[in-house]
Amino acid sequence: MDSEDSSDFEEEEKEKEDGDEEEDDDDDDELMLFILPALYLATTEIETPGRNRTSKRSAATGIVTTGQASVFGDAKWICKLLEEDRGQGYGKLRVEPRILLELSRFLRSNNLLRNTKGVSVEGKIGMFIYMLSRNASFHKLSDRFKNSRETIHRHIKACFDAVTAMTGEFVKPPSTQTHWKISSDPCFGPYFENCIGAIDGIHVPMTISDSEAAPYRNRQGSISQNVMLACDFDLNFVYVSCGREGSASDAAVLYSAIESGFQVPLGKYYLVDGGYANTPSFLAPYIDVPYHTEEKEQGNLQPRDYRELFNLRHAQLRGHIKRAVGLLKMRFPILNVATAYRKDTQLKIPAAAVALHNVIQRQGGDEEFLSDQIIPFVSRKAVTLPSGDDTYGYDVAAFNNECDMGNALRDGIAQRMWADYERSMYMSVFGIEQSGLEECQDPWPQMHLRM
């Protein structure tokens, strides 16, 4: 984004009163549209660059109003723009006209967004998705959507407010019932029945002033915010925590989320990686125990003890958060680059992307992994980011006090798993029918998590 765009956006808040007056002007302009002579409207085709807008006449009033066809036209035109700008294969990301329409209906019916002169709710959301998927500057948005920068500023701000308000509707805690992907798989069902999801941290690049940069400087030396994400096994995000500094550990970010209201139902747990404490609510793998390496996959090697087997199954199941994050970043590459928006706007971007991701998933998003999708997106400011903490640094006292209980829970699961595995292998070798014990396929060749 151009620096002048950033400063323009900052000035918008300083000129709030002027902005309010402009919105009042929009209301007046809309009213004028309805009192224009019906004959004029009936004989004039309203066009927006790139698409044709259709209208219909009310039999009762004789006034021509925007019909459903024009609303669908907005959504269809916007999706065509996205497809053209992002390249072949974008349709697989499931941003389709029907999804824009459903989201727009929700926002409109809940009074979170409304049509204004020349721009429908569908058009505003289209601008917002375009911005997130292209890291588009206000200049680019103005050129693409044929609106002034001032108008674009207002619409983007309104969309941020609307998407923030709807987050509670679309980003919800997971079900406490055992997910079918666990209950139906003998590798997982008897052992992870109390698992409700997986957690990971990602670093999102930022651009901030030198005076504020120190706490946001991560261990790679770049500037970022550390974002905590939790997902269920349908690849829906169930929690997002934004705003923590890049220097904060993953465990510290998780603890901040707990202090801000993130809860784990009693007796349930999320799967986490080795950068978190192993507790009854957050189950981590055994440290310094090999698993899911390419050498094991290629050599078809067997786990040597209960810890290796646990780590393997844990990694297979926790792969859902990797896939969910992969989908999120493919849909919204703005998460991969530093933008020039003001700081508080940058901090909101991950949560907005998560909410829109869940909308897409609910409206028929596909779990097909998208690593083969090539989306042209060039960062003007590439940065090196941490991939997550490798080990837990024992920097959160509240977690340290629960590690013994977490270790006991993990050992219990791992040892039951190993006992069943050894029994299965013994019966397989001697050709004994496994009565009452479903066969679990040799896990090593299946460790293609597509992450």
Side-chain angles (χ1 to χ4, degrees), residues 56-64:
K56 65 181 180 181
R57 178 188 297 274
S58 167
T61 64
I63 301 295
V64 176

Side-chain angles (χ1 to χ4, degrees), residues 86 202-203 324-333 335-336:
R86 296 192 61 167
I202 65 170
H203 283 259
V325 169
L327 280 169
L328 181 71
K329 288 187 173 183
M330 290 291 282
R331 283 172 172 147
F332 305 110
L335 297 174
N336 298 317

Side-chain angles (χ1 to χ4, degrees), residues 205-207 225 339 341-350:
M206 293 183 65
T207 302
Q225 59 170 310
T339 74
Y341 289 99
R342 60 183 189 176
K343 178 182 172 183
D344 63 336
T345 299
Q346 294 181 66
L347 297 178
K348 294 177 183 177
I349 287 175

